[in-house]
Amino acid sequence: MDTGISSLNPKRHLKEQFVSNLNGTSMLEISLLLTNVSVLLLLRHSCTTYYRPKDDTTSSSKKTDHDDDDTKIISHLLPAYITSFTLDFIFILFPTLLLFTVLADWTYILAPLSTLSLIFLMAAKRCDFASPSVQAEGRYPSFRTNISSYRVATMIITCLCILAVDFHIFPRKYAKTETYGTSLMDLGVGSFVVANSIVSRQARKASSINWKTALRSTCPLILLGFGRLVSTVGVDYQVHVSEYGVHWNFFFTLAGVIILTSVFNVLPQYTGILGSSILIGYQIWLSLGLNVYLLSEERGSDIISQNKEGIFSLLGYWGMYLIGVQLGHYLFFANNDVLRSNKLARTRVWILSLLFWLLTFILDRHVEKVSRRMVGCAALSDVLESVLAIFTLSDNIPGSKTSALEEALDKNLLATFLLANVLTGLVNLLLDTLSASLMSALFILTLYAFTLSTMIGLTDTLNISNYIGYLKNNKRSSCGATLVEPLANDRDICPKNGSCCSHSHSRINLKHKNYKSTLIQNSPQGAVLFGVISPLKNSVKLCLGGG
């Protein structure tokens, strides 16, 4: 029993009540809000200043002045990167924060305005893109780029919301619902699972993961789960018990998805059947009385009853993942191993987005309302229509370029999430969030967002700085491919042997094995970053089927 003297968080119960018993808002408002956020990203994509060297590998390989070319790259890379990162915060993070707080009541007005601006931008870019000279420099973004942008957008929304929800400036309608309903924060975990399952190892027909490898990969996630449990109990931190249960948390859910996916390993063309069967059976079970048990406040002393929400929702998230694998295989990978980005794939995405949108309304009205607590069929269709709708929106602007902030976050998703949780905990323990005024809350949230993005940017800048030192001494990779090159294709092909070099899709290949070993040898900070974060990143990749 906590007291005001012994507890580090004396207002824990007030903070728990502040985020409890909420009903959310309409699906239309959430869709319009996500549209506004997506337009912010697309507008930034269209005018990004991130420095990108041109793809002149072939011609430059015939020259003898490689040093001059690389010196120009080095002299422009860091200043342009820092400038672009700062602009990304100003035009992406800060406006997104405003949309979730002081501009929340303007969502219905801002959505038509943002849509009109997007239409104008599409028309302008298409006119420019029609000329042969512009076509040579730009192209429509691939679905791989769109999926990466969606994952980053989901992470940005998650990181902003987990702290903003503790302030009065954040509308209660956007916080997680207690039983039934839809809200912005209800989409987080499901959106991330679906977006990653679409381009997972199973969807790409990559080598499968056996259960032993899966069990080993879950160890970091399980440790993180227990670490979060111990830390929240140790500092008497507020816990919304109806979200996952008394002891369960997000990391245990990810570990569960890893294990279930590896144990029941099926071909991608059949994962949809298995996932649908699981969800239909789970929905029937809910209708027969399981929903009453999950929504009741009564809890027994056994571990299952204490964590009933987290344990039983695993069935929903697992089925959601399997259906995402089938969609990814059907939309992009059915004919070949390289991600398809053609007119047929776009048409399929549009059709499926409309179908899932209609299915969500039918299930919500005639089967069971959307519930993030149980993750039934309606919750699945709600997440799928949101994910696919963003893909249809982001695939209509030719020549778009990914921002520096997005690329940094995409390479450090787990580190970003962990850092956001640590900063959120510190703010809640050091400040009385419930008593903060509107201006104070906005200042704190802005400082939090700036600190989070700066630390992730510094991590990425550290990699770039060490990379530049490596570039000065090693002009070419072992296979003859340049380490700095534009993202011209969905896969980088080695000019020496025609096979994939496994280069990353960022402008700088920070994952090349030669550079990575040099970084670890020459930089203690780099050794810590790769030694600590890489195993965790691999665990999340395995959980979500990435690889």
Side-chain angles (χ1 to χ4, degrees):
M1 184 173 180
D2 60 302
T3 64
I5 298 177
S6 61
S7 176
L8 293 175
N9 191 18
K11 292 190 175 182
R12 190 197 73 180
H13 293 301
L14 291 177
K15 292 181 178 180
E16 289 176 349
Q17 294 173 8
F18 188 57
V19 296
S20 301
N21 302 316
L22 303 176
N23 299 318
T25 185
S26 66
M27 286 183 280
L28 176 60
E29 183 172 0
I30 298 302
S31 299
L32 295 178
L33 183 62
L34 292 177
T35 298
N36 291 333
V37 175
S38 301
V39 170
L40 286 177
L41 291 171
L42 293 176
L43 291 175
R44 180 63 185 138
H45 285 182
S46 65
C47 58
T48 183
T49 58
Y50 190 18
Y51 179 73
R52 299 178 177 213
K54 295 183 179 181
D55 189 11
D56 55 359
T57 303
T58 305
S59 59
S60 63
S61 63
K62 298 179 182 180
K63 299 178 182 179
T64 58
D65 54 347
H66 294 299
D67 293 347
D68 294 338
D69 293 338
D70 289 338
T71 300
K72 293 179 180 179
I73 293 176
I74 294 170
S75 63
H76 290 81
L77 186 60
L78 277 178
Y81 176 85
I82 295 173
T83 302
S84 179
F85 210 90
T86 304
L87 292 175
D88 291 341
F89 174 82
I90 296 174
F91 292 106
I92 296 178
L93 273 183
F94 185 66
T96 302
L97 178 61
L98 295 180
L99 289 174
F100 297 161
T101 53
V102 296
L103 298 179
D105 293 333
W106 294 73
T107 299
Y108 286 95
I109 298 176
L110 292 175
L113 295 177
S114 62
T115 303
L116 289 176
S117 64
L118 182 63
I119 294 174
F120 176 78
L121 177 62
M122 289 168 53
K125 296 286 283 187
R126 287 176 184 273
C127 292
D128 293 339
F129 196 70
S131 63
S133 60
V134 176
Q135 285 184 2
E137 297 181 2
R139 63 184 181 90
Y140 286 92
S142 68
F143 276 104
R144 186 188 298 274
T145 302
N146 294 340
I147 292 170
S148 296
S149 295
Y150 186 85
R151 292 171 59 197
V152 170
T154 301
M155 184 58 66
I156 290 174
I157 294 172
T158 300
C159 292
L160 292 177
C161 288
I162 59 175
L163 178 58
V165 71
D166 295 319
F167 292 87
H168 285 280
I169 195 174
F170 188 81
R172 297 300 89 192
K173 60 184 178 180
Y174 293 160
K176 291 183 178 180
T177 57
E178 188 70 19
T179 54
Y180 295 104
T182 56
S183 74
L184 177 65
M185 295 187 69
D186 285 345
L187 296 174
V189 180
S191 297
F192 191 71
V193 169
V194 171
N196 284 275
S197 65
I198 287 177
V199 289
S200 63
R201 297 174 61 89
Q202 290 90 335
R204 292 183 280 113
K205 286 187 175 181
S207 57
S208 60
I209 304 171
N210 58 51
W211 64 271
K212 293 182 179 179
T213 303
L215 286 177
R216 286 195 298 268
S217 68
T218 59
C219 289
L221 291 174
I222 293 175
L223 289 176
L224 286 173
F226 280 110
R228 176 179 173 81
L229 175 61
V230 171
S231 61
T232 53
V233 173
V235 300
D236 200 26
Y237 196 76
Q238 66 266 20
V239 176
H240 194 188
V241 176
S242 65
E243 182 177 358
Y244 291 109
V246 177
H247 312 102
W248 202 270
N249 57 55
F250 171 74
F251 298 108
F252 292 143
T253 297
L254 292 183
V257 174
I258 289 180
I259 297 172
L260 290 173
T261 302
S262 61
V263 172
F264 300 91
N265 192 10
V266 298
L267 294 175
Q269 52 266 41
Y270 303 117
T271 56
I273 299 176
L274 177 60
S276 299
S277 301
I278 293 170
L279 283 168
I280 292 174
Y282 178 50
Q283 185 62 62
I284 293 174
W285 194 6
L286 289 172
S287 301
L288 292 177
L290 180 62
N291 56 357
V292 177
Y293 168 70
L294 293 179
L295 295 177
S296 66
E297 297 182 0
E298 298 180 0
R299 296 181 188 273
S301 58
D302 59 286
I303 192 68
I304 294 179
S305 180
Q306 289 280 300
N307 302 281
K308 55 185 179 180
E309 294 89 351
I311 293 174
F312 285 98
S313 65
L314 267 178
L315 293 174
Y317 285 121
W318 182 36
M320 187 182 297
Y321 169 80
L322 293 173
I323 292 178
V325 171
Q326 172 94 53
L327 287 175
H329 178 72
Y330 170 72
L331 292 172
F332 313 125
F333 299 104
N335 294 336
N336 50 60
D337 294 331
V338 181
L339 184 66
R340 298 189 305 170
S341 180
N342 51 31
K343 185 176 181 180
L344 177 60
R346 296 189 187 100
T347 303
R348 289 174 174 177
V349 171
W350 274 95
I351 294 174
L352 287 173
S353 178
L354 292 174
L355 289 177
F356 279 115
W357 186 78
L358 292 174
L359 181 62
T360 302
F361 278 94
I362 294 174
L363 293 173
D364 184 68
R365 291 179 180 272
H366 301 289
V367 179
E368 188 172 34
K369 291 184 177 297
V370 176
S371 174
R372 60 91 190 165
R373 193 166 169 178
M374 295 178 288
V375 195
C377 291
L380 162 75
S381 59
D382 184 37
V383 171
L384 286 176
E385 63 91 6
S386 299
V387 174
L388 294 175
I390 300 302
F391 292 164
T392 61
L393 185 65
S394 60
D395 193 50
N396 289 278
I397 301 181
S400 298
K401 300 177 181 179
T402 306
S403 65
L405 174 64
E406 289 178 80
E407 292 196 357
L409 290 176
D410 193 37
K411 289 182 288 186
N412 301 279
L413 283 176
L414 183 59
T416 303
F417 182 71
L418 294 176
L419 180 59
N421 276 269
V422 171
L423 293 176
T424 298
L426 290 175
V427 171
N428 272 278
L429 292 176
L430 297 176
L431 301 175
D432 183 4
T433 58
L434 297 180
S435 301
S437 64
L438 187 148
M439 293 305 299
S440 298
L442 183 60
F443 174 77
I444 294 171
L445 291 172
T446 303
L447 182 61
Y448 158 79
F450 180 78
T451 302
L452 178 63
S453 60
T454 299
M455 294 183 73
I456 296 301
L458 287 175
T459 301
D460 206 44
T461 304
L462 173 65
N463 292 341
I464 293 177
S465 300
N466 283 277
Y467 164 76
I468 290 176
Y470 173 77
L471 182 64
K472 290 179 179 179
N473 299 321
N474 302 273
K475 303 302 180 182
R476 310 288 291 181
S477 68
S478 59
C479 66
T482 56
L483 295 181
V484 178
E485 54 192 356
L487 181 64
N489 300 293
D490 285 321
R491 298 182 68 183
D492 295 324
I493 304 300
C494 171
K496 187 172 182 178
N497 55 23
S499 61
C500 180
C501 292
S502 299
H503 291 173
S504 71
H505 295 282
S506 60
R507 297 297 168 263
I508 304 169
N509 177 23
L510 298 178
K511 294 184 179 180
H512 192 277
K513 60 180 181 180
N514 292 339
Y515 164 68
K516 181 176 177 179
S517 61
T518 303
L519 172 62
I520 293 177
Q521 293 173 5
N522 297 339
S523 169
Q525 302 97 321
V528 171
L529 287 172
F530 280 110
V532 175
I533 298 300
S534 292
L536 301 180
K537 291 172 67 176
N538 292 336
S539 297
V540 174
K541 283 184 178 181
L542 290 175
C543 170
L544 298 173

